[in-house]
Amino acid sequence: MERLFVRVERLSKGLIFDCRMCGQCILHSTGMTCPMTCPKNLRNGPCGGVRPDGHCEVVPAMPCVWMQAWERSKQMSMYGKAILQVQPPLNRSLQGTSAWVNDLNGVAQKTPAGWEQ
Amino acid sequence: MPVSPMRGGSRLERVLRSGRFAVTAELNPPDSADPQSVYDRALVLSSVCDAINATDASGANVHMSSMGVCALLTRAGYEPVMQMSCRDRNRIAMQGDLLGAAAMGVKNVLCLTGDGVQAGDQPEARPVFDLDSITLLRTLRTLRDKGRFLSGRKLEEPPKVFLGAAENPFAPPYDVRPKRLGKKVEAGADFIQTQYCFDVTRLKQFMAAACDMGLDQQVFVLVGVGPLRSAKAAEWMRDKVPGVVIPDVVVDRLKGVPKEQQAKEGKSICIEIIQQVQEIPGVRGVHVMAYRQEELVAEIIEEAGLLARRQRESMAAPDVPRVGSASPRP
């Protein structure tokens, strides 16, 4: 059953958001921009390396993912402010699993035991 | 002035809390296994600054590690700021390194995401980026304040450190930079060292927005400055070093003088910028980054009038060590 979710999620979110299947989706907090497409995998971007033309430090041909995230957040009435929250470290063991399933069973929301919200 | 309780009790923290205008300087780590190469550089910096930053493979170029440089500096009684970048180490390594560093006497740590590996001399390396600067800050704050690892496991003795972060007011998106500064403060930043400032107007806008958010009451901001050696060096830095923004007017000013006088002009520009940023509300110090020109730092600090200012201020705040008095020679 979960394999089906993974397949559908990979196909749909991959097409729309270039989803990288981190398993802990925060698209609504990042202006519907996948933060895992940032070459530094930042969960709290943008970094200080953004070029004057707004492109990525690592991949000069690519516009900064986090610039888009902040810009698009401004257009979002409901979740627009969520980008101001400090995002916890990613649980790397969830890579390749379904964020939908992880959301439903609470795994996605679980932060490291010592993490202060 | 921030009124929060003392965090780590470092000399840098005491200087900032006393209201004195702080000076930190960057030590370019050697490509050498000889400790003397670190001490030679530290000696010329220590007489004019409150703490010495040990960079962590900045620009993704390999040099002596920040941990190694800090071990040498604390052994000789200097006060380092240990830079930690998320590029080369995961969360397990970094938490362990914080304990090791604190045990050696490191009391200031600067949390960085780090430049991408493509910028350095070994672009084939695997970038780590397990944490980012903000999750690293919060993690290290948890070790210090809660006495726990990220896993929740308890520490026997927490590290007493003054936690710093970087911010780059000169990179887009400009309106987001003060908000991201706010996130860093919320994550645990006690002080900030900015990227190189060559655009005072942009810095003023950034600081005004930060002050409007009340951030100047919660964090000490030190502005990054540094001398440009020549017009060519300026263009090289602008192209090769991630996050360094040098406006055309600055490069043109260097080009406008003969080659042999460009270094002097670069120093003058740096001194002018220091004098201007001192007047900006919320700016509590400067961080001098003189890439391979450490010998210039003392001249810059003196000619900018900072030594005189600091001596005046240390009279007013006698509880912190006077300029140059707390750094025994190795």
Side-chain angles (χ1 to χ4, degrees), chain B residues 160-219:
Chain B
K160 294 272 178 288
V161 282
F162 191 43
L163 288 175
E167 190 45 68
N168 189 356
F170 315 102
Y174 307 113
D175 60 323
V176 167
R177 295 293 164 190
K179 293 178 186 143
R180 187 144 187 273
L181 175 69
K183 280 182 85 167
K184 289 194 170 183
V185 171
E186 204 201 317
D190 303 315
F191 71 99
I192 296 290
Q193 291 174 317
T194 77
Q195 183 54 276
Y196 278 107
C197 172
F198 292 106
D199 184 346
V200 176
T201 309
R202 180 79 72 195
L203 180 72
K204 279 183 184 160
Q205 292 162 354
F206 170 80
M207 287 307 302
C211 290
D212 283 346
M213 292 164 69
L215 296 175
D216 57 319
Q217 301 299 311
Q218 299 167 57
V219 70

Side-chain angles (χ1 to χ4, degrees), chain B residues 20-37:
Chain B
R20 254 174 61 191
F21 196 78
V23 176
T24 56
E26 183 174 282
L27 184 148
N28 303 296
D31 297 334
S32 162
D34 180 1
Q36 197 55 43
S37 50

Side-chain angles (χ1 to χ4, degrees), chain B:
Chain B
M1 186 191 307
V3 288
S4 52
M6 190 77 89
R7 302 298 187 193
S10 72
R11 178 171 175 234
L12 177 63
E13 181 172 7
R14 283 180 291 145
V15 164
L16 285 165
R17 284 183 187 280
S18 76
R20 254 174 61 191
F21 196 78
V23 176
T24 56
E26 183 174 282
L27 184 148
N28 303 296
D31 297 334
S32 162
D34 180 1
Q36 197 55 43
S37 50
V38 171
Y39 290 134
D40 288 346
R41 290 164 165 86
L43 191 59
V44 295
L45 298 175
S46 66
S47 60
V48 289
C49 68
D50 299 302
I52 297 173
N53 276 56
T55 58
D56 184 8
S58 67
N61 290 297
V62 60
H63 303 291
M64 185 189 285
S65 70
S66 59
M67 186 76 149
V69 170
C70 285
L72 293 169
L73 291 179
T74 54
R75 198 182 288 178
Y78 292 110
E79 164 124 345
V81 176
M82 184 169 83
Q83 301 194 181
M84 290 181 100
S85 143
C86 297
R87 181 193 54 237
D88 308 323
R89 283 171 287 177
N90 70 9
R91 62 190 82 179
I92 299 172
M94 284 195 284
Q95 291 173 83
D97 280 350
L98 178 70
L99 291 186
M104 290 189 303
V106 173
K107 291 178 177 164
N108 310 289
V109 174
L110 189 75
C111 300
L112 305 167
T113 296
D115 303 319
V117 292
Q118 89 292 338
D121 62 340
Q122 299 178 50
E124 311 84 358
R126 177 178 181 145
V128 178
F129 298 117
D130 181 25
L131 302 180
D132 59 32
S133 58
I134 289 180
T135 47
L136 175 63
L137 269 172
R138 175 71 57 91
T139 299
L140 300 192
R141 189 184 76 179
T142 302
L143 263 75
R144 180 191 68 191
D145 293 348
K146 303 286 169 195
R148 289 182 188 280
F149 289 115
L150 193 52
S151 64
R153 192 150 52 83
K154 222 171 164 339
L155 301 171
E156 283 172 36
E157 181 67 38
K160 294 272 178 288
V161 282
F162 191 43
L163 288 175
E167 190 45 68
N168 189 356
F170 315 102
Y174 307 113
D175 60 323
V176 167
R177 295 293 164 190
K179 293 178 186 143
R180 187 144 187 273
L181 175 69
K183 280 182 85 167
K184 289 194 170 183
V185 171
E186 204 201 317
D190 303 315
F191 71 99
I192 296 290
Q193 291 174 317
T194 77
Q195 183 54 276
Y196 278 107
C197 172
F198 292 106
D199 184 346
V200 176
T201 309
R202 180 79 72 195
L203 180 72
K204 279 183 184 160
Q205 292 162 354
F206 170 80
M207 287 307 302
C211 290
D212 283 346
M213 292 164 69
L215 296 175
D216 57 319
Q217 301 299 311
Q218 299 167 57
V219 70
F220 300 101
V221 177
L222 285 77
V223 176
V225 292
L228 295 164
R229 216 175 335 173
S230 63
K232 213 176 141 193
E235 282 173 331
W236 181 87
M237 267 177 76
R238 179 157 76 171
D239 293 341
K240 303 282 184 205
V241 186
V244 176
V245 180
I246 306 176
D248 288 337
V249 292
V250 174
V251 179
D252 291 344
R253 189 172 148 186
L254 289 170
K255 280 183 180 162
V257 298
K259 241 183 180 162
E260 61 280 3
Q261 285 173 36
Q262 288 184 355
K264 196 166 160 257
E265 191 69 10
K267 199 175 102 177
S268 302
I269 294 172
C270 179
I271 289 167
E272 287 166 30
I273 290 173
I274 293 177
Q275 288 168 337
Q276 290 169 27
V277 303
Q278 279 186 73
E279 309 302 326
I280 301 175
V283 172
R284 308 296 305 278
V286 287
H287 173 52
V288 190
M289 297 171 278
Y291 182 63
R292 290 191 187 154
Q293 304 184 89
E294 276 110 338
E295 69 286 352
L296 277 186
V297 174
E299 292 173 31
I300 289 170
I301 296 303
E302 183 164 11
E303 288 173 37
L306 280 184
L307 278 188
R309 174 177 175 172
R310 285 154 56 78
Q311 263 151 8
R312 270 200 316 276
E313 287 169 347
S314 71
M315 298 293 186
D319 56 316
V320 284
R322 297 243 334 260
V323 178
S325 66
S327 301
R329 305 291 179 256

Side-chain angles (χ1 to χ4, degrees), chain A residues 40 42-48 50-51 57-58 67 70 74 83-87 89-90 92 112-116, chain B residues 91 113-116 118 129-130 132 135 138 142 146 150-152 168 171-173 175-177 180 183 242-243:
Chain A
K40 293 185 184 176
L42 294 190
R43 299 292 271 192
N44 295 283
C47 75
V50 183
R51 292 166 191 266
E57 168 204 323
V58 181
M67 263 186 81
W70 282 86
K74 285 184 202 157
I83 200 164
L84 293 167
Q85 288 161 10
V86 172
Q87 289 294 335
L90 199 66
R92 303 280 170 182
W115 179 258
E116 296 171 69
Chain B
R91 62 190 82 179
T113 296
D115 303 319
Q118 89 292 338
F129 298 117
D130 181 25
D132 59 32
T135 47
R138 175 71 57 91
T142 302
K146 303 286 169 195
L150 193 52
S151 64
N168 189 356
D175 60 323
V176 167
R177 295 293 164 190
R180 187 144 187 273
K183 280 182 85 167

